[in-house]
Amino acid sequence: MQIAMDGPAGAGKSTIAKLVSERLGMTYIDTGAMYRAVTLKAMELGVDLEQEASFSFVADTEFAFEDGRIRMDGVDVSEAVRQTAVSNNVSLVSSYLSVREALVERQQELAAAGDVVMDGRDIGYKVLPDADFKFFLTASIEERAKRRHEDNLARGIASDIEQLKQEITRRDHLDTTREHSPLRPAADAIIVDTSDMTIAEVVDMITDKIREVE
Ligand code: DC
């Protein structure tokens, strides 16, 4: 079984995909973490991020997911890929066609190996076009900024809500207007606006829909 979950940054995708995968006993695959891991490795190698040719190392890079955590070349990089420097460069790295092609192939292999809930931007229409279920999670910019802000405060990170709104708007623009595989829902995706829903409500709604059809 394959469940695709797409949507913009901050719509709650990863939290919800992880909870849905736990509830249904499936493997959670965070494809954004793969683009982040490639960005991290390029920074560690010290290659020029502005050059697509710098990323030939992706062909020899291994990825594995277990219990919602990501390992690259055998090392758990789940925390390292969240650093600000990685976040600031990942839009550029994920715009390169050769990087996308290499990672999409890995994602399809991971999905073929078992039951998966996969989250990203292009899963429903590109990576898993035949997925059993496709969800596209959205939320207003205000709500997404507010959630990120509360998240930052809870982690003791200084945070400015107006600045967050600007950053989210910028990322949305980059993700939806890029040439290769921009963020968009598959034609047959179920669109879920999570602005006025709690996490538990979204998880219940999604798992109910899946059980209904099953
Ligand atoms: O979900 P995230 O914020 O961790 O994703 C990081 C970046 O990777 C984001 O800028 C969009 C990109 N991405 C992508 O292009 N395709 C995917 N399937 C997943 C993420």
Side-chain angles (χ1 to χ4, degrees):
M1 165 129 104
Q2 297 177 340
I3 301 174
M5 222 170 275
D6 291 301
K13 268 182 327 243
S14 55
T15 308
I16 288 157
K18 198 168 175 180
L19 290 168
V20 169
S21 72
E22 283 167 9
R23 200 178 284 184
L24 300 176
M26 301 170 71
T27 302
Y28 166 51
I29 295 176
D30 176 356
T31 63
M34 294 171 78
Y35 289 95
R36 287 171 177 274
V38 167
T39 307
L40 175 71
K41 188 164 172 179
M43 288 164 55
E44 285 173 355
L45 291 171
V47 299
D48 183 357
L49 302 182
E50 305 277 338
Q51 300 294 326
E52 184 165 359
S54 304
F55 290 83
S56 54
F57 66 81
V58 178
D60 308 313
T61 304
E62 277 172 33
F63 301 93
F65 286 88
E66 209 180 307
D67 298 330
R69 301 189 66 83
I70 179 169
R71 277 188 303 165
M72 175 171 60
D73 299 328
V75 179
D76 189 328
V77 291
S78 310
E79 271 84 36
V81 299
R82 300 283 142 205
Q83 325 168 24
T84 310
V86 172
S87 302
N88 288 340
N89 288 310
V90 66
S91 286
L92 171 67
V93 173
S94 62
S95 72
Y96 295 137
L97 181 61
S98 56
V99 172
R100 301 202 69 84
E101 285 178 343
L103 290 188
V104 167
E105 202 179 309
R106 300 304 172 78
Q107 290 156 11
Q108 290 171 336
E109 285 166 11
L110 289 165
D115 294 332
V116 294
V117 179
M118 191 175 275
D119 91 19
R121 305 291 192 285
D122 56 346
I123 310 305
Y125 76 87
K126 172 98 189 181
V127 182
L128 304 176
D130 299 322
D132 302 85
F133 294 93
K134 299 177 183 178
F135 296 96
F136 191 88
L137 303 187
T138 65
S140 65
I141 291 193
E142 282 70 25
E143 184 57 32
R144 285 151 58 202
K146 188 171 142 247
R147 289 179 191 167
R148 191 56 57 90
H149 182 60
E150 285 166 1
D151 215 43
N152 284 345
L153 296 183
R155 291 195 219 175
I157 300 171
S159 182
D160 179 275
I161 201 152
E162 284 310 316
Q163 192 186 335
L164 285 172
K165 267 192 220 172
Q166 284 174 21
E167 282 170 16
I168 289 175
T169 307
R170 174 179 165 270
R171 270 239 264 168
D172 279 359
H173 180 72
L174 290 173
D175 287 348
T176 54
T177 58
R178 69 168 176 235
E179 185 183 357
H180 306 297
S181 301
L183 164 69
R184 65 174 164 83
D188 52 349
I190 300 169
I191 314 270
V192 184
D193 185 339
T194 69
S195 302
D196 298 317
M197 295 172 81
T198 63
I199 288 168
E201 283 169 346
V202 181
V203 172
D204 283 347
M205 199 213 93
I206 288 176
T207 47
D208 285 352
K209 273 209 189 307
I210 293 168
R211 288 189 175 135
E212 218 174 86
V213 175
E214 295 265 288

